[in-house]
Structures are given as C-alpha cells and as structure tokens.
Amino acid sequence: SEDGKGLADGIAVSASLAQLDMSCNQLCGVDLEGNGTYDATGIKAIADSLGVSTSLTSLNLRRNHLNPDTKASITAANKERPTKLQSLLL
C-alpha cells in the first residue's frame, strides 16, 4: 500500500526512531477479521527500509495478517543486511 511505502521512507531516513509498534494496522490490506484484499507492497517496502535505518532497534508487526512468504521476506531482509534491530515481532 502507499501508506506502507510512505512509512518505509520515514523509517529509512529517521535518525532517532528507535521503536515502532505497527501491530494491528492492516499493513497488508486485511483487517483483524480477515476482510480485505491482500497486498504486501507496503510491508515489503518496510522490510527493505530495515537495512537503511540507522536507529530502529524494535519493530512490532504482529496481527497484520502477514502470509508466510511475506514473513519470510521480512526475516530474510533483516538477516541479509546489517541492521540495528534487536527485536522483530511478526
């Protein structure tokens, strides 16, 4: 989603954002009841921003109906690039 892309841009450039709780935010277009259309564009942009962030140490993405492929891409992005993340909740 465009909201996720905008958030990813903010994560990438922020020098002071240390913790971010984005749980229960329909980041993939699906609400808590499972209604909506799945779109991982925004969440994947957030995953890409993790390798650029110089300050983020904790990210909570729980309860966003992330599918297994999306969770795997976030985990892989975090492992492939050096990040400051100490806590990643999916």
Side-chain angles (χ1 to χ4, degrees):
S1 73
E2 290 301 314
D3 294 338
K5 289 180 186 177
L7 179 62
D9 292 341
I11 291 170
V13 300
S14 176
S16 60
L17 180 65
Q19 298 179 358
L20 183 60
D21 184 346
M22 292 300 299
S23 59
C24 304
N25 274 286
Q26 292 182 256
L27 293 175
C28 291
V30 180
D31 67 18
L32 293 175
E33 286 80 38
N35 301 312
T37 302
Y38 194 86
D39 177 9
T41 307
I43 198 73
K44 287 185 179 182
I46 291 171
D48 290 341
S49 73
L50 299 179
V52 181
S53 173
T54 60
S55 60
L56 192 64
T57 59
S58 176
L59 178 60
N60 184 350
L61 298 174
R62 286 186 176 164
R63 300 193 70 199
N64 277 292
H65 286 280
L66 305 179
N67 69 24
D69 290 339
T70 302
K71 287 181 180 182
S73 68
I74 294 168
T75 302
N78 188 43
K79 289 181 180 178
E80 289 171 4
R81 296 178 223 114
T83 70
K84 296 202 176 228
L85 269 184
Q86 298 170 5
S87 175
L88 176 60
L89 304 175
L90 300 174

